[in-house]
Amino acid sequence: MTVLRNIFLFLSKNKRLTIVAKKYGFRFGASRYIAGKSIPEAVEVIKRLDGKGLSVTVDCLGEFVDNEAEANATANHLVRLIETLGQESLDAEISVKLTSLGLDISNDLALRNMKRILDAAEQQNIFVTIDMEDSLRCDQTLEIFTLLKLSYKDIGTVLQAYLYRTIEDLHVLKPYSPSLRLVKGAYKESPEAAFSEKQAIDDNFKKIIEIHLRNGHYTAIATHDDAIIEYTKQLVSKYQIPYSQFEFQLLYGVKADRQLELCREGYKVRLYVPFGEDWFGYYMRRMAEYPANPFPHKNKSAGRKMGIHLLHK
């Protein structure tokens, strides 16, 4: 299983395969996790989820942009998304990857584009989360987040439990009263940067959940791990943490019954809903997380064919 996970993570960073994958579209099961390629397609999915009592955070897929024109175009697209979500009055936030806004070109470019997005979001009363990417970009991401937090109220970011540095990052961020999404982590990291054993990651995940909740800051617990969900419920009961201070976040397309079950229990549930043309990297990381069942039953054969085809390109 580890070998298969590593293969998917390797594929997720291959730009040539991303181009090939766009050609084949959603025929091989990607629609299970991705809400279409356009803003109108994503909005239709969000409306259906909204009707079930589920909140969303929308991710316009794309990352590792290497030219300024593309970074600016992505920012323009996100502004249009924000305006559309505001017009539709949906319970929706957005999630943004700084590399899609030019982080690998310069911090200043990413910062300028983020300010444009946050200005638009402020007008529509929409919360924005800066996604965390791999550990090499962690310092840049937190630097930009803390700078923006001084001027914008409705902004959060993400910390990853598998990184050794995360507890220290929690302490550094505490004075900013940050709203954080806490996750296990989905990128391939070196042993120098991250835990690799599940138990160690889970233990650290529990620690950061408790620290952040007890600090009194808004906490999004992003996981499908029932043990982590139950642990969070126990913390909430033990420390009398109000339901308004936290939410569970789950991925669109994963454990739909569990999402609705948590809603019925009275918990705030928000789905991470990605859409867009540049879907391949995200899809491969989801495959890495769930390698035992990467394709819906009706698409398993097609999925294997896609894998073989891409690997031989």
Side-chain angles (χ1 to χ4, degrees), residues 166-238:
T166 297
I167 287 180
E168 178 60 28
D169 286 335
L170 266 182
H171 294 317
V172 171
L173 292 175
K174 183 179 177 181
Y176 295 87
S177 301
S179 173
L180 296 177
R181 178 193 302 145
L182 305 180
V183 304
K184 288 190 179 182
Y187 291 84
K188 184 173 175 57
E189 298 287 356
S190 73
E192 288 74 29
F195 299 104
S196 58
E197 297 298 322
K198 182 181 184 303
Q199 189 61 56
I201 296 170
D202 287 352
D203 289 345
N204 207 43
F205 201 6
K206 291 176 180 178
K207 287 177 186 176
I208 64 175
I209 291 170
E210 179 171 357
I211 291 169
H212 199 55
L213 283 173
R214 295 188 68 187
N215 281 344
H217 307 317
Y218 196 82
T219 309
I221 301 96
T223 185
H224 296 93
D225 188 328
D226 286 329
I228 298 294
I229 291 172
E230 291 306 313
Y231 176 78
T232 302
K233 291 179 181 180
Q234 292 167 17
L235 283 178
V236 167
S237 176
K238 180 178 180 180

Side-chain angles (χ1 to χ4, degrees), residues 87-104:
Q87 291 164 7
E88 295 287 348
S89 299
L90 296 167
D91 185 1
E93 302 176 352
I94 70 164
S95 293
V96 180
K97 286 183 172 59
L98 290 179
T99 56
S100 73
L101 301 178
L103 183 68
D104 290 348

